[in-house]
Amino acid sequence: MTLFSGRQLLTSALEDFENQLRVETSLVASTLHEPIEKYLDQGLTEAEVLDAVTALESKTGMNIRVLRADGSIWLGGEADDNVQQFVNAAEVRAALNDLIIYDSRKVDGDPVLFSAASILDGDKIVGIAHLSAPSTAAEAAVRQRWVALGLTFLALTLAALFVSLYLSASLTRPMRSLQTAALSIADGDLTQRVNITRDDEIGDVGRAFNRMAEHVEQMMLEQRAFASNASHELRTPLTTMRLRVERLRSGTLDQEKVVRYSAEIEQELIRLTNLIEDLRTLSRADSNRLEIGSERVDAKRLATAVLHELASLRGERQITVTVQAQDTLPVQANMSHLRLVFRNLLENALKYTPVGGTITWSLTRENGEMISQVVDSGMGVSAEDLPNLFQRFYRVDKARNRRVAGSGLGLSLVQAVVEKYAGRVSISSDGIGHGTTTTVYWPVEQHIKSPPQLKTASHVSQKSFVPLGNV
């Protein structure tokens, strides 16, 4: 690229010098027109015209001669000038035709540039201004251009080096900060973040890193809380069983207490088994090993079964449960998964609804989804607790001696299973004392048809309900 630029520069410098020579020749001819005209009118002497020629030589730095129309030397020049060399010179012949060109010839072995222009008196040529300059002048012009090119190239190189160093530093500094933060997180400092001061791609990487770090920190906090809560929930039934076993082994209990303690141990074993099964289901969901079922499940019939399973809890608390469902509600699911969702939602409502309260459970189908909504008249949920209800082991009643039994995993399980089926679950409440509404949206495969023994959905309006029972 530099060599190409140098060749272009050489060509440009020579052209500039040639143009300058032609311009100088034209100016010299114009300048000498007046003194020569006066000389011809005998207003000036030959010596005075020669002085004008000498002054122009000093001004232009070139050798100037004034030739006659026949090409012979009239004024100026060196004493040893060969007169004949100008008679047939190309620049002289061009000047006689009112043209200005330049020619290059060797004089005493050295290249010299020549140019000539006619001096006119009206239409008559009264003389020829003839200029010559050694080619060293052109070479000097080329050298000047080369020096300018070199300085420009050097300046550009230095600028490019400075810019590359600046860009390199601007890239490596944030990368080093990211590296330091990443190593700190690897060493256990999960609070480490990078300071972001730019809005380019590097800034985007920094923001992504901070989001990742926040996510990792949150995951670790949740994991620690999960381990702490799980150990407590596992320790509670184990402690109860150990105490009961110690009393039984003492041999000092009467038959009534033996029976009661045995029943309590059995209940704690059931509770422990259910807790382990819940944790196992959550683990499978977290590791994406919870397989989606392909069974055709009758949601209405399943709801009836769940209602009967919890009949004893309803009876103890004297709670009225009204279940409303469309006549036909087949959905694609694993029976145990949908049962888990239904049972947890209804059991949750029964536990948190006071004695004598009411629960309404509706099952509808809209826009390709089965919508299960449980509305209770229970204690309700405060606005600050609502966003946390799906956290594992989260309890609105945070005391260790809770009034309501449970592990705090029910809603987490419901959310994990529902989202596995591309559904969603939401909870709303108007506050403490105003009850709670839990809604599940479960996708329904459109190609699933009702079994022959059931009425099809076309026989019942989508908004119609068939009461399953009032208890």
Side-chain angles (χ1 to χ4, degrees), residues 381-451:
V381 184
S382 67
E384 78 175 45
D385 285 322
L386 271 176
N388 304 314
L389 291 180
F390 292 106
Q391 292 182 15
R392 296 170 188 182
F393 296 108
Y394 186 84
R395 297 290 298 265
V396 175
D397 180 8
K398 299 176 179 63
R400 288 299 184 190
N401 55 341
R402 302 169 184 131
R403 292 170 296 172
V404 179
S407 64
L409 289 176
L411 290 175
S412 300
L413 280 166
V414 169
Q415 184 183 50
V417 171
V418 170
E419 290 183 350
K420 183 66 177 178
Y421 283 82
R424 60 194 189 280
V425 56
S426 65
I427 300 178
S428 62
S429 177
D430 291 333
I432 302 298
H434 292 86
T436 305
T437 299
T438 306
T439 307
V440 170
Y441 300 87
W442 190 287
V444 177
E445 292 293 336
Q446 297 297 322
H447 65 272
I448 295 178
K449 297 180 180 179
S450 301

Side-chain angles (χ1 to χ4, degrees), residues 57 63-65 73 75-86:
E57 283 184 330
N63 294 322
I64 300 176
R65 305 172 187 81
I73 297 177
L75 300 170
E78 303 296 333
D80 58 352
D81 275 342
N82 182 1
V83 175
Q84 293 302 317
Q85 70 175 321
F86 302 114

Side-chain angles (χ1 to χ4, degrees), residues 247-261:
R247 292 296 305 277
L248 289 170
R249 295 172 70 179
S250 68
T252 60
L253 300 176
D254 56 30
Q255 186 60 31
E256 182 183 350
K257 285 187 177 179
V258 169
V259 173
R260 180 160 60 87
Y261 283 1

Side-chain angles (χ1 to χ4, degrees), residues 239-308:
T239 301
T240 302
M241 286 189 292
R242 181 176 59 82
L243 292 174
R244 294 297 181 264
V245 169
E246 287 177 356
R247 292 296 305 277
L248 289 170
R249 295 172 70 179
S250 68
T252 60
L253 300 176
D254 56 30
Q255 186 60 31
E256 182 183 350
K257 285 187 177 179
V258 169
V259 173
R260 180 160 60 87
Y261 283 1
S262 298
E264 288 178 359
I265 291 174
E266 184 181 7
Q267 288 298 321
E268 292 300 334
L269 282 171
I270 293 173
R271 176 184 172 190
L272 189 59
T273 302
N274 290 337
L275 177 59
I276 292 173
E277 185 60 29
D278 289 346
L279 290 173
R280 179 172 172 271
T281 302
L282 281 173
S283 175
R284 291 175 64 85
D286 288 343
S287 59
N288 201 28
R289 291 185 295 113
L290 194 66
E291 295 182 1
I292 295 177
S294 58
E295 306 169 32
R296 185 176 59 180
V297 180
D298 186 344
K300 171 186 172 182
R301 185 175 299 174
L302 182 59
T304 305
V306 170
L307 190 63
H308 287 304

Side-chain angles (χ1 to χ4, degrees), residues 227-244:
S228 174
N229 289 322
S231 64
H232 172 77
E233 294 296 336
L234 290 170
R235 187 169 56 247
T236 300
L238 290 173
T239 301
T240 302
M241 286 189 292
R242 181 176 59 82
L243 292 174
R244 294 297 181 264

